[in-house]
Amino acid sequence: MVLSAMPAGEYDKRLTILTVERGKISAFARGARRPNSSLLACSQPFSYGEFIAYAGRDSYTVTNAQISNYFPGLKEDLEKVYLGMYFCECADYFAREGNDERELLKLLYQSLRALESGKFPLSLVRRIFELKLISIEGEAPQVSSCIFCGKKGEEELNFFALHKDGMVCSSCAEQLAGKVIPVSPACLYAMQYVIGTSCAQIYRFSLKENVLIEFGALVEEYIKKHIGRKMKSLQVLETMGFAKEDKKDPENFAKPKEE
């Protein structure tokens, strides 16, 4: 999938492509900015398909492509476009050249499909993407048992310790006064489902508005801790008045105090 496309020279484009076989690669599409170029369509962000390219010393050169999905529905809504760009920017940030990025590519594809479908609140799609992304990168929070005593069971896990990256049972939470976040059973289930489910299946649930706000606020705090920068596309969204649905904390959400 094309993550980004930038002008290069008078008629060319420089593409960043996320691939299964080679991870993230940089590739030139020669003449792609000419109106009659055969590479015009495949050199746009969100273009997904099979690319034919040959390797040079520092980059690849695309010679042909068979695109199976352009995600045209995204372009009908400005917020969807920038959320899609945010997803691509996150993928660009985490992907590495030469890595097996199969799961990341699956997540990106399924997330763009969910955005385009209109079946889910955009805030839910965003938070599912973020939590699954951080899970794929090996930074998933511990949500199946207490990080201190190992106690399991949804009825026991009622708090989240952000500074320890995991759930805490009621007994252990008493020793962490002011450093834990209350978590409802519905929010806990949402986290467990996203982390433990394949990318092909993650967009198969919905949340009530109050749970969505709680889920979004918790994921936002976790993402802030584990992603070292704020993506440019997200800044644009916020400037336009979008991506602010999690700013209002639900009554049962309390940010932990600084250590």
Side-chain angles (χ1 to χ4, degrees):
M1 182 179 292
V2 176
L3 301 180
S4 64
M6 297 291 292
E10 190 172 358
Y11 296 109
D12 303 338
K13 280 189 176 183
R14 186 183 183 96
L15 311 178
T16 300
I17 305 175
L18 183 62
T19 75
V20 172
E21 302 90 344
R22 304 291 179 91
K24 182 176 69 173
I25 67 170
S26 178
F28 284 96
R30 304 293 183 186
R33 296 168 64 196
R34 296 180 185 274
N36 60 346
S37 172
S38 61
L39 300 179
L40 179 63
C42 71
S43 60
Q44 306 293 329
F46 311 140
S47 297
Y48 175 84
E50 295 185 0
F51 290 78
I52 299 174
Y54 64 86
R57 185 173 61 180
D58 299 316
S59 63
Y60 292 79
T61 297
V62 176
T63 58
N64 199 359
Q66 297 294 324
I67 303 301
S68 58
N69 198 338
Y70 295 98
F71 299 97
L74 293 182
K75 300 171 184 178
E76 299 172 0
D77 186 301
L78 192 59
E79 185 174 8
K80 289 182 180 181
V81 168
Y82 275 96
L83 270 177
M85 291 173 63
Y86 168 60
F87 294 170
C88 288
E89 194 175 354
C90 287
D92 191 352
Y93 178 77
F94 281 104
R96 295 292 180 266
E97 185 175 352
N99 281 4
D100 182 346
E101 302 291 1
R102 189 181 310 271
E103 291 304 308
L104 181 55
L105 184 57
K106 287 180 181 178
L107 173 62
L108 182 57
Y109 181 81
Q110 294 297 337
S111 298
L112 293 182
R113 285 189 63 193
L115 276 184
E116 188 180 41
S117 72
K119 297 178 180 179
F120 308 94
L122 300 187
S123 57
L124 178 60
V125 178
R126 172 187 170 185
R127 297 313 184 183
I128 290 175
F129 171 84
E130 291 172 334
L131 183 56
K132 192 63 176 179
L133 171 68
I134 212 73
S135 301
I136 290 173
E137 296 304 316
E139 301 282 355
Q142 171 59 267
V143 295
S144 60
S145 61
C146 176
I147 56 175
F148 292 104
C149 69
K151 189 178 294 183
K152 298 182 179 181
E154 294 181 7
E155 68 280 358
E156 299 286 350
L157 302 176
N158 301 313
F159 299 91
F160 188 85
L162 185 64
H163 66 297
K164 293 294 184 180
D165 294 344
M167 294 298 297
V168 180
C169 70
S170 300
S171 298
C172 293
E174 294 178 0
Q175 305 172 35
L176 297 170
K179 294 184 179 180
V180 293
I181 301 167
V183 177
S184 69
C187 183
L188 173 59
Y189 177 78
M191 290 193 294
Q192 291 173 337
Y193 183 86
V194 172
I195 293 171
T197 304
S198 69
C199 293
Q201 306 292 324
I202 54 174
Y203 293 103
R204 295 199 175 184
F205 72 95
S206 60
L207 297 174
K208 293 182 179 179
E209 184 177 359
N210 65 315
V211 181
L212 176 55
I213 293 174
E214 179 189 5
F215 177 67
L218 184 55
V219 173
E220 180 175 25
E221 292 300 311
Y222 197 79
I223 288 296
K224 283 180 180 178
K225 180 182 176 183
H226 288 276
I227 296 183
R229 70 173 188 179
K230 194 165 189 177
M231 305 301 171
K232 293 180 181 179
S233 46
L234 190 57
Q235 293 176 347
V236 173
L237 274 168
E238 293 178 350
T239 299
M240 295 189 300
F242 299 128
K244 295 183 178 181
E245 62 280 343
D246 298 324
K247 298 302 181 182
K248 181 180 178 182
D249 293 346
E251 292 181 0
N252 65 338
F253 181 85
K255 293 181 181 178
K257 296 177 182 179
E258 295 292 335
E259 291 188 86

